[in-house]
Amino acid sequence: NFSFGYSLVYPSPVLPKLTSPDADPRLRMDPNQAAWFGSIYSLGAAAGGLGAMLLNDLIGRKMSIMMSAVPSTAGYTLMGGAVNLSMLHGGRFLTGVAGGMTAASIPVYISEISHKKVRGALGSCPQITAVFGTLTLYALGLVVPWRWLAVAGSVPAVLMVVLLVFMPSSPRRLLSLGQEQKAEKALRWLRGSNYNTSIELNAIQHSINTQVKITWAQLGKPIYYRPILISVGMRFLQQMTGITPILVYLEPIFAKSNVSLEPRYDAAIVGAVRLFSVAVAASLMDKAGRKALLYTSSMLMFLSSLTLTMISHTTPCPAVNITAPNSELGNTLQASQDTALSFVPLISTVVFIFGYAMGWGPITWLLMSEVLPLVARGVASGLCVTVSWVTAFALTHAFTLLVDAYGLYAPYLMFTVVCVFCLLFNAVCIPETRKRSLEEIENYFRTGRTFTIRQNHPSVVSS
């Protein structure tokens, strides 16, 4: 996920260099080519999500994550040695494929190896490491040439493969394959030598025994369609808040906003704030609950995007009468006012990122892995990631076109409206899953009213 966060925002410090008149003529980008360079990552992530739908259940979550290192390393190699635009776009697409694969596999893997009391905090770790990767990219972008940024990006992918060799497979997957001894060994490795694994293994085995292969007809039952629709809805709304285009085009956005600081320093500040806010969310996830953080997140994003909408819809300021006796004082006041207002876009963007990273960033990933039906989790998580990144592609590609045609006002207004829908969706559709096991959450969707599991329940799937 460090690599995912790093690769997602790669264009932020790179595009200003590739669109400048001093760029290599073979690599110089016009606005349309720059839009494709920023957005094609999302197409790759959608393709990676589709691939993960098959790989998650075919080779397992752990191996799917390890496989993502192949397109990641290949993509960075292409961009680092690019001699034409096709290599840049191809490399960007491949790093997107790797991002989509990990986005669909890592949350599921973490949810299946985590104890329910710390699953919220551990479920935030992918977002924390992704944000740390983003911050690292912004920081390196201040001093490192863009080709070396690509070279540096391939290091985490290789390191990930080496470290994952020492991690166990998911006990749930091992039990589903009938490998009870390996499952017990994996769970003991995860929980410690003094942990009584029999209770948790029996609960997992009971869940597996009562599941059957899902069919299209069964998708009409609430136990399946409700959590899938909630997960897809969360992933769609998360992207429609505008987080991907804002992160991808952060430096160009600040350049258009006339912020006093250099855009590259503004981007580094936002990255640092985002890392802090995700760490705060991780500490509160299992204390305050998912829904409370989502409400807070939606309100902060709404207020900041509304502010950005108003300040980007500029109107001419009243002219200062230079013939008036106090014209010098008027000019001084006007200059100080302009300086103060120039920081409003930076502050508002920081608040937006802070709000997103406290709720709609990490919690949508966590809830997706918690509420999806256990029997269809691998396929359904791939579907959610695909929907998410197709939405991100359309929005990221349209963002630059909207800004060129109408200015920043148009996309910011749309993001403000979406934040209202996020509030309503959280109030009506999302259940509180804090300190609930995966089996209890599934029972909630089965019964529609309770998390409590009765072991003598007549027929878990066919009822």
Side-chain angles (χ1 to χ4, degrees):
N1 272 92
F2 178 96
S3 185
F4 167 76
Y6 187 100
S7 60
L8 175 64
V9 300
Y10 181 76
S12 183
V14 173
L15 276 178
K17 296 176 176 62
L18 295 180
T19 55
S20 71
D22 299 330
D24 185 334
R26 299 172 301 171
L27 302 175
R28 188 182 300 129
M29 296 183 180
D30 59 31
N32 186 54
Q33 292 164 338
W36 273 105
F37 185 69
S39 61
I40 199 171
Y41 179 93
S42 301
L43 273 185
L50 284 171
M53 290 173 65
L54 301 175
L55 292 176
N56 270 343
D57 292 327
L58 187 64
I59 62 175
R61 286 60 154 147
K62 174 184 168 181
M63 287 301 299
S64 296
I65 299 168
M66 295 176 73
M67 284 282 291
S68 71
V70 176
S72 180
T73 305
Y76 282 123
T77 302
L78 277 176
M79 289 191 290
V83 295
N84 54 50
L85 289 176
S86 297
M87 292 180 70
L88 283 174
H89 287 101
R92 180 88 175 129
F93 178 84
L94 286 174
T95 56
V97 171
M101 291 174 67
T102 55
S105 304
I106 289 177
V108 177
Y109 178 69
I110 289 179
S111 72
E112 292 185 353
I113 67 172
S114 303
H115 193 278
K116 64 181 181 181
K117 290 184 179 179
V118 294
R119 195 173 61 244
L122 292 178
S124 301
C125 288
Q127 188 73 9
I128 292 174
T129 50
V131 171
F132 189 60
T134 298
L135 178 58
T136 302
L137 186 279
Y138 289 148
L140 288 177
L142 299 176
V143 293
V144 177
W146 67 269
R147 288 188 186 274
W148 284 102
L149 287 177
V151 174
S154 62
V155 175
V158 176
L159 184 61
M160 174 195 70
V161 174
V162 175
L163 293 176
L164 270 177
V165 169
F166 301 100
M167 285 292 292
S169 295
S170 161
R172 181 179 301 277
R173 172 168 172 78
L174 292 173
L175 278 180
S176 68
L177 296 175
Q179 300 175 4
E180 290 85 357
Q181 290 185 342
K182 288 186 178 181
E184 196 277 337
K185 183 179 179 181
L187 191 61
R188 189 165 299 282
W189 189 95
L190 291 163
R191 301 288 186 264
S193 58
N194 296 325
Y195 183 79
N196 184 3
T197 59
S198 59
I199 297 175
E200 189 169 350
L201 286 173
N202 289 337
I204 297 172
Q205 189 65 64
H206 174 74
S207 173
I208 294 172
N209 291 341
T210 54
Q211 292 171 355
V212 296
K213 189 174 178 63
I214 190 171
T215 64
W216 285 105
Q218 289 173 314
L219 287 177
K221 296 181 178 181
I223 186 176
Y224 295 124
Y225 75 77
R226 283 184 61 202
I228 291 175
L229 288 179
I230 288 173
S231 299
V232 170
M234 285 190 301
R235 301 295 292 145
F236 175 75
L237 287 173
Q238 182 200 47
Q239 290 296 344
M240 287 301 294
T241 60
I243 187 63
T244 299
I246 287 175
L247 292 176
V248 169
Y249 300 123
L250 198 55
E251 286 194 28
I253 286 173
F254 281 134
K256 283 183 174 290
S257 301
N258 299 318
V259 181
S260 297
L261 292 174
E262 285 188 44
R264 55 180 183 162
Y265 293 116
D266 296 327
I269 291 171
V270 169
V273 169
R274 189 172 169 225
L275 180 61
F276 169 75
S277 54
V278 173
V280 171
S283 66
L284 294 176
M285 197 78 70
D286 291 311
K287 298 176 183 177
R290 283 55 156 162
K291 287 178 73 72
L293 288 176
L294 285 173
Y295 280 126
T296 305
S297 173
S298 300
M299 281 303 303
L300 289 174
M301 291 165 65
F302 169 76
L303 293 173
S304 55
S305 58
L306 181 62
T307 303
L308 288 166
T309 301
M310 291 190 293
I311 63 175
S312 61
H313 192 254
T314 54
T315 54
C317 296
V320 178
N321 185 359
I322 60 173
T323 62
N326 61 345
S327 61
E328 185 175 346
L329 176 61
N331 288 335
T332 303
L333 291 173
Q334 184 68 34
S336 62
Q337 184 183 35
D338 290 344
T339 302
L341 288 175
S342 70
F343 284 99
V344 174
L346 173 60
I347 295 170
S348 298
T349 305
V350 165
V351 173
F352 182 90
I353 297 296
F354 181 84
Y356 172 84
M358 275 197 68
W360 281 90
I363 293 178
T364 48
W365 295 95
L366 173 63
L367 274 170
M368 179 187 80
S369 64
E370 288 182 326
V371 305
L372 285 176
L374 301 178
V375 70
R377 180 158 295 163
V379 173
S381 63
L383 172 65
C384 292
V385 170
T386 302
V387 169
S388 172
W389 288 111
V390 168
T391 306
F393 165 74
L395 196 60
T396 307
H397 194 74
F399 183 84
T400 54
L401 304 179
L402 282 172
V403 172
D404 288 341
Y406 305 104
L408 289 168
Y409 166 76
Y412 281 149
L413 178 61
M414 180 176 67
F415 301 156
T416 304
V417 174
V418 171
C419 289
V420 176
F421 282 102
C422 289
L423 275 168
L424 296 175
F425 189 83
N426 183 37
V428 176
C429 301
I430 298 177
E432 179 57 73
T433 59
R434 181 171 63 111
K435 294 185 179 179
R436 302 291 183 181
S437 70
L438 299 183
E439 290 72 33
E440 288 173 332
I441 295 169
E442 185 170 86
N443 192 70
Y444 170 82
F445 287 108
R446 181 187 304 114
T447 62
R449 61 184 182 274
T450 179
F451 288 99
T452 304
I453 298 176
R454 294 188 178 92
Q455 292 290 339
N456 59 350
H457 198 281
S459 178
V460 178
V461 172
S462 59
S463 59

